[in-house]
Amino acid sequence: MSGTDRVLLEKKEGIARLIINRPEKLNALDGRTMQEIDAAIGATGADPAVGVHIVTGMGEKAFVAGADIAELAAQSPVEGAAYARRGQDVLVRLERLGKPSIAAVNGYALGGGLELAMACTLRLAADTAKLGQPEVALGIIPGYGGTQRLSRLVGAGRALELILAGEPIDAREAHRIGLVNRVVPAAELPAAAETLARTLLTRGPLALRYAMQAVHEGLQMTLAEGLAMEAALFGLTCATEDMREGTRAFVEKRKPSFKGR
Ligand code: COA
């Protein structure tokens, strides 16, 4: 294990596990934690030995219980806008690393915590998790992408209910509305995240990169533009060694050995 105080980083067999490590404050995201997340993904994003990220919270109670309320209470309007932008930038970098990330939601994922989970590519939740955007109860709105990613994931109607009522939902309801991909018993969450990460590691890394790019960028486009982009990225994958290896391995009835080239 390496890493700094607020974020622990474990790297093992292609998987980088980022653990938000401030359990005494339910892993609330202060500026320092956001900087450390940024530094960690900057390093692992550029590390060819890392193929998948797992993001989780220290302890059994919280994934992340939000942005640090004490810190944000002291923001002026200009500082508040810059604070939101800095946080958004970190989450965009995580979303666009070109490597999949799995949020292992091990407890409260509120406010900035849900925003962090939504910036991950996939979400697994413990059956004990509670997820929500409670910011309006503090007189503010979500500022790390919640108004944008939540509506894209679950639709505007459900997003507005979660954001305006500000009531957290349990993991089963989160699964029902498509906010999390899967719910598992709390004790099985780390193993379930690792199994999913290992599955992703067996896939062509460039194919994963371009598939994520197609989905993310396609959400900003018309259908016709998105289809044109998909065809161009499909063509690009046809130029890769991974494509030759993947198709040859199928014909030869063996497992492919992808190189990310
Ligand atoms: N920012 C800063 N500190 C936070 C925090 C946050 N978002 N969430 C929890 N903490 C701190 C608490 O202040 C407390 O610190 P203290 O022991 O020094 O007083 C500690 O974490 C434990 O939290 P506590 O509230 O005592 O736990 P609980 O089990 O009674 O309640 C929650 C858990 C998640 C329901 C409650 O902590 C909560 O509502 N947190 C804020 C959620 C929120 O509004 N997030 C959005 C922020 S934009």
Side-chain angles (χ1 to χ4, degrees):
M1 179 162 322
S2 67
T4 43
D5 213 359
R6 295 277 210 266
V7 176
L8 303 179
L9 178 60
E10 284 173 6
K11 280 195 277 180
K12 198 181 78 179
E13 295 163 8
I15 303 171
R17 187 186 294 270
L18 266 67
I19 306 164
I20 314 301
N21 180 36
R22 207 185 168 205
E24 71 287 359
K25 295 288 179 191
L26 303 187
N27 304 321
L29 301 172
D30 61 357
R32 192 171 134 204
T33 310
M34 291 303 284
Q35 276 174 11
E36 292 188 15
I37 293 173
D38 201 25
I41 59 174
T44 53
D47 182 346
V50 171
V52 182
H53 292 76
I54 295 174
V55 180
T56 196
M58 181 60 89
E60 288 176 3
K61 196 165 166 184
F63 173 71
V64 166
D68 188 298
I69 296 171
E71 196 178 75
L72 64 82
Q75 306 289 320
S76 72
V78 171
E79 288 164 351
Y83 184 90
R85 266 290 184 212
R86 275 197 304 276
Q88 289 174 359
D89 289 347
V90 174
L91 297 190
V92 167
R93 273 194 285 281
L94 172 61
E95 182 175 61
R96 298 302 172 91
L97 270 183
K99 301 175 182 185
S101 49
I102 301 166
V105 180
N106 56 310
Y108 288 113
L110 302 175
L114 181 52
E115 290 166 312
L116 172 63
M118 291 192 293
C120 291
T121 321
L122 300 169
R123 283 153 293 287
L124 301 188
D127 54 1
T128 50
K130 295 251 187 307
L131 305 92
Q133 296 286 168
E135 287 89 343
V136 291
L138 301 167
I140 52 176
I141 69 168
Y144 285 175
T147 61
Q148 303 305 302
R149 290 196 180 89
L150 188 57
S151 49
R152 283 168 170 77
L153 271 172
V154 304
R158 286 178 172 135
L160 280 165
E161 184 181 356
L162 284 166
I163 293 168
L164 299 186
E167 307 270 21
I169 54 174
D170 64 23
R172 258 169 245 299
E173 175 66 1
H175 182 244
R176 194 186 68 82
I177 66 174
L179 182 53
V180 300
N181 298 89
R182 213 185 302 159
V183 181
V184 298
E188 293 168 24
L189 181 65
E194 190 161 327
T195 301
L196 179 56
R198 290 199 183 292
T199 299
L200 297 174
L201 284 173
T202 66
R203 309 309 189 205
L206 292 174
L208 296 182
R209 174 183 299 261
Y210 295 138
M212 290 186 291
Q213 184 181 339
V215 170
H216 282 130
E217 292 182 11
L219 284 169
Q220 328 286 333
M221 295 177 180
T222 64
L223 180 62
E225 290 165 346
L227 291 173
M229 174 194 56
E230 182 187 82
L233 288 171
F234 180 85
L236 199 52
T237 59
C238 292
T240 62
E241 284 179 31
D242 283 356
M243 180 267 203
R244 282 192 294 282
E245 167 63 10
T247 50
R248 195 177 297 139
F250 178 81
V251 173
E252 293 170 3
K253 300 190 188 306
R254 60 172 173 84
K255 288 206 165 84
S257 169
F258 292 116
K259 301 281 188 300
R261 290 197 292 261

